[in-house]
Amino acid sequence: MAEEPKKGDAVGSGVGGREAEEEQVVNPWEVTAKDGGKIDYDKLIEKFGCQRLEESLVRRVERLTGRPAHVFLRRGVFFAHRDFNEILDVYERGEKFYLYTGRGPSSEALHFGHLVPFMFTKYLQDAFKVPLVIQLTDDEKCMWKNLTVEESKRLARENAKDIIACGFDITRTFIFSDFNYVGGAFYENMVKVAKCVTFNKVVGIFGFTNEDHIGKISFPPVQAVPSFPSSFPHLFSGKDNLRCLIPCAIDQDPYFRMTRDVAPRIGYQKPALIESSFFPALQGETGKMSASDPNSAIYVTDSSKGIKNKVNRYAFSGGQDSIENHRKYGANLEVDIPVKYLGFFLEDDAELDHIRKEYGAGRMLTGEVKKRLIEVLSELVERHQRARAAVTDEMVDAFMAVRPLPHMFS
């Protein structure tokens, strides 16, 4: 069942790891731009070998689902893909697929950068009415963050509550932590993948060094195999050819470039991906929000007062250094973080266009834009906190129970 690798599926090229020091670094653990500049997404597409998400695919999603495209699709937040067109072909033929996404639990609560893929995945689940598996890689964070096993498992459950609060359908959703679930068919698939990836290849993909412990080097198959339906016999027994779609940020691409290279060699379908840009830090677009710097991010646990303080104090502005100059020259929208955040979370396209036009022309001031952003973010956080408060330990247990999904494809 082997097939020729598609463009960008070849492994060992080193594009996921650290290349020459002058290049931007984008991998699952580090995102930095050259000389403190912006991430070059065109270069990422070229080097990773994925495809840009064209407007025609967005329109096709609307036609097939009968609903407007999510704001993240309309505005290019999800901007790249691998075989997303084939997933739409599958759906149009009346066949099924499933979704897979995940979270590495390394902090007590999620920030907005963490929320982006889950908000979009919920839209995909609702629009296509398909099952979803969510992996909590507590084992990964135990190895990378030097957390204890017990603390990693505790954070996984806390993060699961924030994920559940996004509104996923329990009748179509299975959440699992690696520490609790790995074994059986899942582990069998891990071994199949591991036998296909040499040490040289995994170093080339992920940039591991001789100083990295063997746990890190052996981890990639764990994140690979949820893309194979046979890893979940309680969900997909007899459906080994079911296609998988993975919504994720583009820094996770190295894992799935490896997976797509291996899949046909062990008799499985390649997973498809739809990939997002990074939600920038408050201080600017040199990378992504970081849980290690609380002032770089807005957390779902922040108060309205805290959000106001962070936005006013830390959100990098493209406005001019004086009102006179601002009225004369207008704001630089390319670097303005409040406008970029509104591009993610302000639903009204007309209002966003108005803000961009007026602010860019200098007729709207930075303080006015930040005020509107504070309102939008505060509303989102307050809504999330209400939903999160309603999530009980029993609900977490129910989402993580190994059981059939009653309305998996209905």
Side-chain angles (χ1 to χ4, degrees):
M1 193 169 171
E3 61 180 90
E4 289 297 315
K6 294 189 179 182
K7 180 180 182 292
D9 288 343
V11 298
S13 59
V15 296
R18 178 179 289 278
E19 297 183 280
E21 284 300 318
E22 68 271 10
E23 295 293 333
Q24 61 187 5
V25 177
V26 176
N27 62 44
W29 312 284
E30 182 180 1
V31 177
T32 55
K34 179 181 177 181
D35 298 327
K38 294 171 61 176
I39 297 296
D40 187 332
Y41 290 106
D42 289 331
K43 183 176 288 186
L44 275 186
I45 286 176
E46 178 184 349
K47 288 194 172 185
F48 281 8
C50 46
Q51 300 166 279
R52 183 163 288 281
L53 190 68
E54 302 291 346
E55 180 69 17
S56 59
L57 283 178
V58 178
R59 299 283 78 81
R60 190 178 178 201
V61 169
E62 292 185 320
R63 178 173 60 82
L64 290 175
T65 62
R67 63 172 65 194
H70 192 278
V71 65
F72 294 163
L73 273 182
R74 297 201 309 269
R75 297 179 188 160
V77 172
F78 279 79
F79 72 102
H81 74 101
R82 293 180 183 273
D83 294 347
F84 183 51
N85 54 308
E86 294 185 10
I87 292 294
L88 297 183
D89 292 343
V90 164
Y91 185 79
E92 192 161 24
R93 291 195 301 266
E95 300 172 15
K96 306 300 183 183
F97 67 93
Y98 74 100
L99 297 165
Y100 155 43
T101 195
R103 160 81 183 130
S106 60
S107 58
E108 290 280 345
L110 306 187
H111 60 54
F112 273 101
H114 298 142
L115 275 187
V116 166
F118 291 111
M119 294 171 70
F120 186 64
T121 300
K122 181 190 182 314
Y123 155 78
L124 291 173
Q125 183 183 59
D126 292 346
F128 291 99
K129 295 180 173 56
V130 290
L132 162 67
V133 296
I134 299 175
Q135 181 182 41
L136 300 174
T137 55
D138 43 8
D139 53 343
E140 177 197 24
K141 293 307 175 185
C142 179
M143 291 186 285
W144 261 267
K145 298 292 186 180
N146 199 29
L147 299 170
T148 65
V149 170
E150 293 74 20
E151 179 66 358
S152 298
K153 292 175 72 171
R154 185 187 71 81
L155 291 176
R157 284 187 66 87
E158 289 303 306
N159 284 193
K161 293 176 182 178
D162 276 322
I163 293 167
I164 292 167
C166 292
F168 291 107
D169 181 352
I170 193 171
T171 68
R172 294 193 182 99
T173 305
F174 174 52
I175 301 175
F176 67 99
S177 83
D178 289 341
F179 276 133
N180 290 335
Y181 185 74
V182 171
F186 194 98
Y187 184 67
E188 290 171 14
N189 279 339
M190 284 169 48
V191 171
K192 291 177 184 178
V193 170
K195 288 174 67 176
C196 292
V197 183
T198 66
F199 175 75
N200 283 341
K201 284 183 177 178
V202 83
V203 167
I205 299 166
F206 298 101
F208 294 135
T209 71
N210 289 337
E211 303 305 312
D212 285 308
H213 61 68
I214 60 174
K216 292 183 178 181
I217 296 162
S218 64
F219 175 76
V222 186
Q223 188 157 322
V225 302
S227 16
F228 306 143
S230 61
S231 298
F232 305 101
H234 68 286
L235 298 179
F236 306 125
S237 179
K239 297 182 174 67
D240 286 359
N241 285 322
L242 195 66
R243 290 296 299 265
C244 173
L245 174 63
I246 304 169
C248 62
I250 198 167
D251 60 337
Q252 299 300 302
D253 188 89
Y255 279 118
F256 302 113
R257 189 167 62 256
M258 181 199 77
T259 307
R260 286 168 56 86
D261 176 74
V262 169
R265 297 159 61 190
I266 57 177
Y268 294 142
Q269 297 268 17
K270 294 182 179 184
L273 283 83
I274 183 165
E275 301 177 311
S276 73
S277 57
F278 304 117
F279 192 67
L282 282 164
Q283 288 85 349
E285 279 199 291
T286 57
K288 61 179 181 178
M289 277 190 171
S290 171
S292 62
D293 180 3
N295 291 324
S296 76
I298 305 292
Y299 282 84
V300 295
T301 50
D302 284 345
S303 65
S304 294
K305 182 179 179 180
I307 292 170
K308 180 178 180 180
N309 179 62
K310 284 184 178 181
V311 170
N312 283 331
R313 187 172 180 182
Y314 297 109
F316 188 84
S317 170
Q320 302 299 327
D321 56 2
S322 70
I323 292 179
E324 180 183 3
N325 283 338
H326 186 80
R327 297 296 192 197
K328 183 176 181 181
Y329 299 111
N332 179 356
L333 302 184
E334 288 299 309
V335 300
D336 192 90
I337 289 299
V339 164
K340 290 185 181 297
Y341 279 22
L342 287 170
F344 277 79
F345 297 122
L346 181 59
E347 289 281 348
D348 190 323
D349 290 339
E351 183 182 359
L352 180 64
D353 289 342
H354 174 77
I355 290 172
R356 285 172 171 165
K357 180 180 178 181
E358 295 298 299
Y359 189 40
R363 291 186 291 269
M364 181 178 279
L365 299 176
T366 297
E368 296 174 86
V369 178
K370 287 188 172 184
K371 181 176 182 293
R372 184 66 181 113
L373 176 63
I374 291 163
E375 292 170 352
V376 170
L377 295 183
S378 296
E379 182 182 343
L380 276 170
V381 166
E382 288 168 9
R383 187 164 65 239
H384 182 89
Q385 289 174 355
R386 288 194 298 271
R388 172 67 157 74
V391 178
T392 63
D393 285 327
E394 290 74 20
M395 288 175 66
V396 176
D397 291 339
F399 269 93
M400 299 183 76
V402 177
R403 84 282 183 202
L405 298 180
H407 300 120
M408 192 160 61
F409 291 112
S410 59

